[in-house]
Each structure stands twice: as structure tokens, then as C-alpha cells.
Short mmCIF file of all heavy atoms in Angstrom, two decimals:
data_model
loop_
_atom_site.label_atom_id
_atom_site.label_comp_id
_atom_site.label_asym_id
_atom_site.label_seq_id
_atom_site.Cartn_x
_atom_site.Cartn_y
_atom_site.Cartn_z
N ALA K 100 0.84 -1.21 0.00
CA ALA K 100 0.00 0.00 0.00
C ALA K 100 0.87 1.25 0.00
O ALA K 100 0.58 2.23 -0.68
CB ALA K 100 -0.93 0.00 1.21
N ALA K 101 1.95 1.23 0.78
CA ALA K 101 2.86 2.37 0.83
C ALA K 101 3.49 2.62 -0.53
O ALA K 101 3.65 3.77 -0.96
CB ALA K 101 3.94 2.13 1.88
N LYS K 102 3.83 1.56 -1.25
CA LYS K 102 4.46 1.72 -2.57
C LYS K 102 3.51 2.36 -3.56
O LYS K 102 3.90 3.26 -4.31
CB LYS K 102 4.93 0.35 -3.08
CG LYS K 102 6.16 -0.17 -2.39
CD LYS K 102 6.60 -1.50 -2.99
CE LYS K 102 7.87 -2.02 -2.32
NZ LYS K 102 8.29 -3.34 -2.87
N VAL K 103 2.24 1.90 -3.61
CA VAL K 103 1.32 2.46 -4.60
C VAL K 103 0.95 3.90 -4.25
O VAL K 103 0.63 4.70 -5.15
CB VAL K 103 0.04 1.60 -4.76
CG1 VAL K 103 0.40 0.20 -5.20
CG2 VAL K 103 -0.79 1.56 -3.48
N LEU K 104 0.99 4.25 -2.97
CA LEU K 104 0.65 5.61 -2.56
C LEU K 104 1.88 6.53 -2.55
O LEU K 104 1.74 7.74 -2.32
CB LEU K 104 0.01 5.61 -1.17
CG LEU K 104 -1.36 4.93 -1.06
CD1 LEU K 104 -1.79 4.82 0.40
CD2 LEU K 104 -2.41 5.70 -1.86
N SER K 105 3.05 5.93 -2.74
CA SER K 105 4.32 6.69 -2.74
C SER K 105 4.55 7.41 -1.41
O SER K 105 4.97 8.58 -1.36
CB SER K 105 4.36 7.71 -3.90
OG SER K 105 4.27 7.04 -5.14
N ILE K 106 4.25 6.71 -0.31
CA ILE K 106 4.52 7.21 1.03
C ILE K 106 5.18 6.08 1.81
O ILE K 106 5.32 4.97 1.32
CB ILE K 106 3.23 7.70 1.74
CG1 ILE K 106 2.21 6.56 1.84
CG2 ILE K 106 2.64 8.91 1.02
CD1 ILE K 106 0.93 6.95 2.59
N THR K 107 5.57 6.35 3.05
CA THR K 107 6.21 5.33 3.87
C THR K 107 5.16 4.45 4.55
O THR K 107 3.99 4.84 4.69
CB THR K 107 7.08 5.97 4.96
OG1 THR K 107 6.23 6.70 5.86
CG2 THR K 107 8.11 6.92 4.34
N GLN K 108 5.59 3.25 4.97
CA GLN K 108 4.69 2.38 5.72
C GLN K 108 4.23 3.06 7.00
O GLN K 108 3.08 2.89 7.42
CB GLN K 108 5.39 1.06 6.07
CG GLN K 108 5.66 0.16 4.88
CD GLN K 108 6.22 -1.18 5.31
OE1 GLN K 108 5.62 -1.87 6.12
NE2 GLN K 108 7.37 -1.54 4.77
N SER K 109 5.12 3.81 7.63
CA SER K 109 4.76 4.53 8.85
C SER K 109 3.64 5.52 8.59
O SER K 109 2.71 5.66 9.41
CB SER K 109 5.99 5.25 9.41
OG SER K 109 5.65 6.03 10.53
N ALA K 110 3.69 6.19 7.43
CA ALA K 110 2.64 7.15 7.09
C ALA K 110 1.31 6.44 6.86
O ALA K 110 0.24 6.95 7.25
CB ALA K 110 3.04 7.96 5.86
N VAL K 111 1.35 5.27 6.21
CA VAL K 111 0.13 4.49 6.01
C VAL K 111 -0.48 4.12 7.36
O VAL K 111 -1.69 4.29 7.59
CB VAL K 111 0.41 3.21 5.18
CG1 VAL K 111 -0.83 2.32 5.13
CG2 VAL K 111 0.84 3.58 3.78
N SER K 112 0.35 3.63 8.28
CA SER K 112 -0.15 3.24 9.61
C SER K 112 -0.72 4.43 10.35
O SER K 112 -1.77 4.33 11.00
CB SER K 112 0.99 2.61 10.42
OG SER K 112 1.45 1.43 9.83
N GLN K 113 -0.03 5.56 10.25
CA GLN K 113 -0.49 6.76 10.95
C GLN K 113 -1.84 7.24 10.42
O GLN K 113 -2.74 7.59 11.19
CB GLN K 113 0.57 7.86 10.83
CG GLN K 113 0.27 9.11 11.64
CD GLN K 113 1.39 10.12 11.56
OE1 GLN K 113 2.22 10.08 10.66
NE2 GLN K 113 1.43 11.04 12.53
N ARG K 114 -1.98 7.24 9.08
CA ARG K 114 -3.25 7.70 8.49
C ARG K 114 -4.39 6.74 8.83
O ARG K 114 -5.52 7.17 9.06
CB ARG K 114 -3.09 7.85 6.98
CG ARG K 114 -2.17 8.98 6.58
CD ARG K 114 -2.01 9.08 5.06
NE ARG K 114 -1.01 10.07 4.70
CZ ARG K 114 -0.70 10.40 3.46
NH1 ARG K 114 -1.31 9.80 2.43
NH2 ARG K 114 0.23 11.31 3.22
N LEU K 115 -4.08 5.44 8.84
CA LEU K 115 -5.11 4.47 9.20
C LEU K 115 -5.53 4.64 10.66
O LEU K 115 -6.73 4.62 10.96
CB LEU K 115 -4.61 3.05 8.96
CG LEU K 115 -5.58 1.94 9.37
CD1 LEU K 115 -6.85 2.00 8.53
CD2 LEU K 115 -4.92 0.57 9.24
N ARG K 116 -4.56 4.82 11.55
CA ARG K 116 -4.90 5.01 12.97
C ARG K 116 -5.74 6.27 13.16
O ARG K 116 -6.68 6.29 13.97
CB ARG K 116 -3.62 5.10 13.80
CG ARG K 116 -2.95 3.76 14.05
CD ARG K 116 -1.94 3.84 15.19
NE ARG K 116 -0.88 4.79 14.90
CZ ARG K 116 0.27 4.48 14.29
NH1 ARG K 116 0.48 3.22 13.92
NH2 ARG K 116 1.18 5.40 14.08
N SER K 117 -5.42 7.30 12.41
CA SER K 117 -6.19 8.54 12.51
C SER K 117 -7.63 8.32 12.06
O SER K 117 -8.58 8.81 12.70
CB SER K 117 -5.53 9.62 11.65
OG SER K 117 -6.30 10.82 11.65
N LEU K 118 -7.80 7.57 10.97
CA LEU K 118 -9.15 7.28 10.48
C LEU K 118 -9.91 6.40 11.48
O LEU K 118 -11.10 6.63 11.73
CB LEU K 118 -9.07 6.59 9.11
CG LEU K 118 -10.39 6.35 8.38
CD1 LEU K 118 -11.10 7.67 8.07
CD2 LEU K 118 -10.14 5.57 7.08
N GLU K 119 -9.23 5.42 12.05
CA GLU K 119 -9.87 4.55 13.05
C GLU K 119 -10.27 5.36 14.28
O GLU K 119 -11.32 5.12 14.89
CB GLU K 119 -8.93 3.41 13.44
CG GLU K 119 -8.76 2.37 12.34
CD GLU K 119 -7.78 1.28 12.69
OE1 GLU K 119 -6.79 1.58 13.41
OE2 GLU K 119 -7.99 0.12 12.27
N ALA K 120 -9.44 6.36 14.65
CA ALA K 120 -9.78 7.21 15.79
C ALA K 120 -11.01 8.06 15.48
O ALA K 120 -11.85 8.30 16.36
CB ALA K 120 -8.59 8.10 16.13
N GLN K 121 -11.13 8.49 14.21
CA GLN K 121 -12.29 9.29 13.83
C GLN K 121 -13.59 8.53 13.97
O GLN K 121 -14.60 9.07 14.42
CB GLN K 121 -12.14 9.77 12.38
CG GLN K 121 -11.29 11.01 12.19
CD GLN K 121 -11.40 11.52 10.78
OE1 GLN K 121 -10.83 10.96 9.86
NE2 GLN K 121 -12.16 12.59 10.61
N VAL K 122 -13.58 7.26 13.56
CA VAL K 122 -14.83 6.48 13.59
C VAL K 122 -14.96 5.68 14.88
O VAL K 122 -16.02 5.12 15.16
CB VAL K 122 -14.91 5.53 12.37
CG1 VAL K 122 -14.91 6.33 11.09
CG2 VAL K 122 -13.77 4.52 12.36
N GLY K 123 -13.88 5.61 15.67
CA GLY K 123 -13.94 4.92 16.94
C GLY K 123 -14.04 3.41 16.85
O GLY K 123 -14.51 2.76 17.78
N GLN K 124 -13.58 2.86 15.72
CA GLN K 124 -13.65 1.42 15.53
C GLN K 124 -12.44 0.95 14.73
O GLN K 124 -11.94 1.69 13.88
CB GLN K 124 -14.92 1.03 14.76
CG GLN K 124 -16.21 1.38 15.46
CD GLN K 124 -17.42 0.94 14.64
OE1 GLN K 124 -17.53 -0.21 14.23
NE2 GLN K 124 -18.32 1.88 14.38
N PRO K 125 -11.97 -0.29 14.97
CA PRO K 125 -10.91 -0.83 14.13
C PRO K 125 -11.44 -1.09 12.72
O PRO K 125 -12.57 -1.53 12.54
CB PRO K 125 -10.51 -2.13 14.83
CG PRO K 125 -11.72 -2.52 15.63
CD PRO K 125 -12.37 -1.23 16.04
N LEU K 126 -10.61 -0.81 11.74
CA LEU K 126 -11.02 -0.96 10.35
C LEU K 126 -10.28 -2.08 9.63
O LEU K 126 -10.77 -2.57 8.61
CB LEU K 126 -10.78 0.36 9.60
CG LEU K 126 -11.50 1.59 10.17
CD1 LEU K 126 -11.10 2.84 9.40
CD2 LEU K 126 -13.01 1.40 10.16
#
């Protein structure tokens, strides 16, 4: 996922955690 988005794996994890925090549920 990081490769296709041209970002780091850490950035993918951070954005996912932020989205999960927004909805209050694991995705």
C-alpha cells in the first residue's frame, strides 16, 4: 500500500490510525 501511494509504511499506519480514531472502531 505504501508503494502504490508513494509514502512510507509509517505514514500508512499513521493515516489508518487517525481514520480509526475518527470512527472509533478498528477498520
Side-chain angles (χ1 to χ4, degrees):
K102 286 182 179 179
V103 300
L104 294 172
S105 299
I106 58 178
T107 65
Q108 291 186 55
S109 176
V111 173
S112 297
Q113 186 176 19
R114 292 179 186 182
L115 177 64
R116 284 197 299 270
S117 176
L118 186 62
E119 288 177 326
Q121 277 190 285
V122 299
Q124 298 181 53
L126 302 176

